[in-house]
Amino acid sequence: MPVVWKMGKLRQCKMAAKSTKNSSRKEAAKLERELEKLHRKRAVQEKELENCRALFATLPEMIIVLDPKGKVLDVNKNVYKFTGYSKKEVAGKYIFRFPFIPLKSKKILLKKFAARVLGKKVEPYTLTIKDKKGKQYEMKIVASTIRDKQGRLVKDLVVASDITEEQRTTNKLKDSKIYLDTMGDALVVINGRDKRIVAVNKAFTKLGGYSEKETIGKNIFKIFPKREKAKHKKEMRNAARTGKAAKFDAIALTKSGKEIPVSISGTAVLDSKGRPTNFVWVFRDISEKLEAEEMLRESEEKYRHLVENAGEPIFSVKVDGTFISMNKTAANELGGKPSDFIGKTMGDLFPKKIADGQMRTITHAISKGEGIDSESKSVVRGKERWYSAHIEPIKNREGKINFAQLIVHDITPLKKVEEEMAKAFVELKKLDKLKADFMNIAAHELKTPITPIRGYVEIMLNKELPREKETQFLSIVHRNTLRLELLINDVLDISRLESRAMRFDMQNLDIVKIIKTVEQDMKAAANEKKIKIGHKIKGKLPIVKGDKRRISQVLGNLVKNAVKFTKKGGITINAFTKNGNVVVEVKDTGIGISDENIPKLFTKFFQAQTSETREAGGTGLGLAICKGIIEEHGGEVGVKSRQGKGSTFYFSLPRK
């Protein structure tokens, strides 16, 4: 109609132009402009009409245009293609008489059409149709009316979409609702076209606090915050495009508006043309999981803090020995920062022998799959250290061991104590043996003088003896009494020295006088063995501070030992000054001492086990007493000897 009207106006304009040849040029120009404008408007309208026809023909839905009485004015090709009926069988017919619409559906169609004619709003609805072969389809109907300016119905536009597969899926889901309601996870079925909820299970209504009635038909995006809408659309597009299951985390809204973190996994149900008919989304409330993860993160953070600030070295190594983590203490122990050592191996930091040993222990723990404790020696920054380590294999979620964690303790001080204790234990055992030997020696030494004393006294008591015999026996008793006294004094002296109870009468001493006195006292014993004894004094000796009786005891003991173990040759007592101290030597030509026994000479109860020493007897305390007395005076004792070549015992005393 509008086009016809415009064409009539065009003819009028032309006639007016002919009849007004005498009109002014201005009026003619105005008419020409109006004519040009009408031409352009007509071209636009024709283009729009062409686009509408193209769209009408290409839409995948069936489109039917009805007049106000329900008679078909126009249809698109999909009506013929879908139903199998020809244009002749459809065009110009009343829709209520279409052969492909069953009676039940015609009643629904008539009711909805009447409502639209009366101007009522009609929501989309479904009905069933059959094609020419009798195949049945479920259709979704969306209809709208076209009215003129006075509000009168001009045309009725009906759009029908095939939802057969979609409806079939929905029905199947409804049929399996009993099963779905037993699921622990929330499930929702979403229409692939309008994204409205088709079905839910009990777990879904429980999760959101909705009733089933409140959820069916509700747009799925209404149960999510607005900020989540884009995410869900993207996941739906991807699921429909790829055919793969979607899996993502989201926030769901309960009926009260509370936000719940959920994990969603689902899939798109596609029709034969690859279009989504439904989406099946499974919801799982992950609130507790997230809380647990948060607690785990906090726990890991605390653990990391504890590890980082632990006073003991803690580090982790891979199966190949590569360091993957290390706390500050471990790095400080190695002389750097943690970043200096991450990525390096045991072999990079330790000597090969030590690194190989450590890796054997770590590999053993990993192969066993359980923690073990070990001790090992290592070299750190050029220093030898001892460490104890607890090695714990760390498993991932699949139970595979990827690395081991080591908590290390520096036990070097403890090892030193253990070594010292071991040495002390060895020494203690030696002392025990020496004590046992001493007891044997002491028993022998005690028995040796007591036996003759007792024997001769008994003889003298039981028998009259001549004067000279009696004198001889008393001399023997006296000699053995002195020997017994020396033994007792040795035991008392060593006891006093150990308990630091020995008293010293310190005074100025003339060492030369002491040397001469001891030489004179021992001359008889030397003469008895036909050995010479003498002394040599080098230079003028300074006065020293000491206890005269105790220094004489030391020198006498050394000279007595020299006489005891010298069979021929002689003994010389030398005295001289060295480094400001007075040194006294007793040099003999006796049996000498082996290198093995020299370090033990000044030990309590020690006696070299040779035929000569066993024959000479003694308690093994004399040299220990000498050492104790000299050290109490601030001096030193020592010996130089070669076996079979004689010995030189010496002691030094600080000058006054």
Side-chain angles (χ1 to χ4, degrees), residues 49 53 70 111 125 149 160 174 235 240 265 274 289 353 379 434-435 508 536 539 547 561 564 576 583 624 634:
L49 185 60
R53 283 178 183 145
K111 184 179 178 180
Y125 59 96
K149 292 181 179 180
K174 287 179 178 177
E235 293 294 339
S265 58
K289 177 189 171 186
K353 185 176 180 181
V379 177
L434 290 172
K435 283 182 179 179
N508 294 336
K536 291 181 181 178
D547 185 312
N561 284 345
K564 189 189 295 185
F576 53 89
V583 179

Side-chain angles (χ1 to χ4, degrees), residues 448-465 468-481:
T448 299
I450 288 174
T451 299
I453 290 171
R454 180 179 177 181
Y456 286 113
V457 168
E458 285 178 353
I459 291 171
M460 292 172 65
L461 288 172
N462 297 324
K463 194 175 182 181
E464 284 275 345
L465 294 173
E468 56 274 8
K469 228 14 167 176
E470 189 177 280
T471 302
Q472 181 187 353
F473 285 2
L474 287 173
S475 296
I476 294 170
V477 169
H478 181 258
R479 187 170 64 250
N480 282 283
T481 303

Side-chain angles (χ1 to χ4, degrees), residues 47 306 515 610:
K47 183 68 176 176
L306 287 172
I515 290 171
T610 65

Side-chain angles (χ1 to χ4, degrees), residues 243-295:
K244 295 180 180 179
K247 192 169 185 180
F248 60 101
D249 291 342
I251 301 294
L253 289 174
T254 65
K255 186 177 179 180
S256 64
K258 179 183 176 183
E259 293 189 353
I260 301 174
V262 292
S263 172
I264 299 176
S265 58
T267 186
V269 180
L270 307 177
D271 62 15
S272 57
K273 295 180 180 179
R275 294 173 299 190
T277 60
N278 294 97
F279 293 94
V280 181
W281 258 208
V282 178
F283 290 65
R284 177 171 292 177
D285 185 352
I286 57 173
S287 303
E288 292 184 2
K289 177 189 171 186
L290 293 179
E291 287 176 10
E293 287 176 351
E294 183 60 29
M295 289 175 66

Side-chain angles (χ1 to χ4, degrees), residues 387-538:
Y387 295 98
S388 72
H390 177 73
I391 305 168
E392 189 67 37
I394 307 299
K395 299 178 181 178
N396 59 18
R397 291 180 180 178
E398 288 76 37
K400 184 180 177 182
I401 298 172
N402 292 328
F403 64 94
Q405 186 178 71
L406 286 78
I407 302 175
V408 182
H409 303 276
D410 186 347
I411 57 170
T412 306
L414 181 62
K415 276 292 180 182
K416 286 182 179 178
V417 171
E418 286 180 358
E419 288 173 2
E420 290 172 3
M421 288 179 67
K423 289 177 182 177
F425 180 70
V426 171
E427 290 299 319
L428 187 59
K429 287 182 75 174
K430 290 179 181 178
L431 284 174
D432 284 341
K433 185 177 183 306
L434 290 172
K435 283 182 179 179
D437 292 344
F438 169 71
M439 294 304 292
N440 292 331
I441 293 168
H444 174 73
E445 289 296 313
L446 285 168
K447 190 175 180 181
T448 299
I450 288 174
T451 299
I453 290 171
R454 180 179 177 181
Y456 286 113
V457 168
E458 285 178 353
I459 291 171
M460 292 172 65
L461 288 172
N462 297 324
K463 194 175 182 181
E464 284 275 345
L465 294 173
R467 182 66 182 171
E468 56 274 8
K469 228 14 167 176
E470 189 177 280
T471 302
Q472 181 187 353
F473 285 2
L474 287 173
S475 296
I476 294 170
V477 169
H478 181 258
R479 187 170 64 250
N480 282 283
T481 303
L482 293 176
R483 185 175 180 179
L484 186 59
E485 182 183 15
L486 287 173
L487 174 61
I488 293 168
N489 285 338
D490 281 351
V491 173
L492 290 174
D493 283 346
I494 200 70
S495 176
R496 291 189 188 105
L497 284 168
E498 286 189 339
S499 63
R500 303 187 70 84
M502 183 175 282
R503 298 288 178 261
F504 296 96
D505 180 14
M506 305 301 281
Q507 54 186 293
N508 294 336
L509 300 180
D510 183 349
I511 288 296
V512 177
K513 287 184 178 180
I514 293 174
I515 290 171
K516 290 178 178 179
T517 301
V518 170
E519 179 188 339
Q520 192 64 36
D521 290 343
M522 296 302 299
K523 193 157 273 201
N527 290 338
E528 189 176 335
K529 293 189 70 174
K530 297 180 181 179
I531 56 177
K532 294 179 180 179
I533 186 169
H535 68 271
K536 291 181 181 178
I537 309 299
K538 188 176 180 181

Side-chain angles (χ1 to χ4, degrees), residues 30-46:
K30 183 179 179 182
L31 289 172
E32 285 179 5
R33 284 195 300 273
E34 188 174 351
L35 183 62
E36 182 65 28
K37 189 185 293 184
L38 288 172
H39 275 299
R40 284 198 302 270
K41 199 168 186 180
R42 179 182 176 184
V44 170
Q45 287 174 339
E46 286 178 350

